[in-house]
Amino acid sequence: MATRTLAYECKYCGALKRTKNVCERHELTCFQNPDAKNCILCVHRVDIKGGKVCGITGKRCSVAISANCENFERR
């Protein structure tokens, strides 16, 4: 009999996500993940008047960008 998947669970923090892609991206940036790539943990993050941006690329910080950032360095 077929089964239906209602949610995917993060293996680090247990957060539930609706799609597999979103869950995989979350796991890459999860604070519980010891190898997490998250802008909040990066040394290049700069606070400016409009928010937080990368000091190297000038792009706004976000989870979607930080998961694949080539310039990421953990604090």
Side-chain angles (χ1 to χ4, degrees), residues 2 5 12 15-18 24 26 28-31 36-37 46 49-51 54 58 64-65 73-74:
T5 302
Y12 300 105
L16 298 176
K17 303 296 177 186
R18 222 170 241 259
E24 288 174 350
H26 166 80
L28 291 173
T29 61
C30 182
F31 289 118
K37 288 175 109 180
V46 179
K49 199 174 201 179
C54 177
I65 293 172
E73 290 182 39
R74 187 180 280 272

Side-chain angles (χ1 to χ4, degrees), residues 1-59:
M1 179 161 198
T3 59
R4 182 175 173 195
T5 302
L6 299 175
Y8 294 88
E9 182 179 11
C10 174
K11 61 185 170 187
Y12 300 105
C13 71
L16 298 176
K17 303 296 177 186
R18 222 170 241 259
T19 67
K20 187 176 180 179
N21 289 339
V22 171
C23 187
E24 288 174 350
R25 186 176 69 193
H26 166 80
E27 287 179 346
L28 291 173
T29 61
C30 182
F31 289 118
Q32 305 287 327
N33 181 353
D35 300 321
K37 288 175 109 180
N38 195 314
C39 286
I40 293 172
L41 304 172
C42 186
V43 296
H44 301 298
R45 185 181 81 163
V46 179
D47 297 332
I48 61 168
K49 199 174 201 179
K52 303 190 182 344
V53 297
C54 177
I56 295 176
T57 63
K59 295 180 182 177

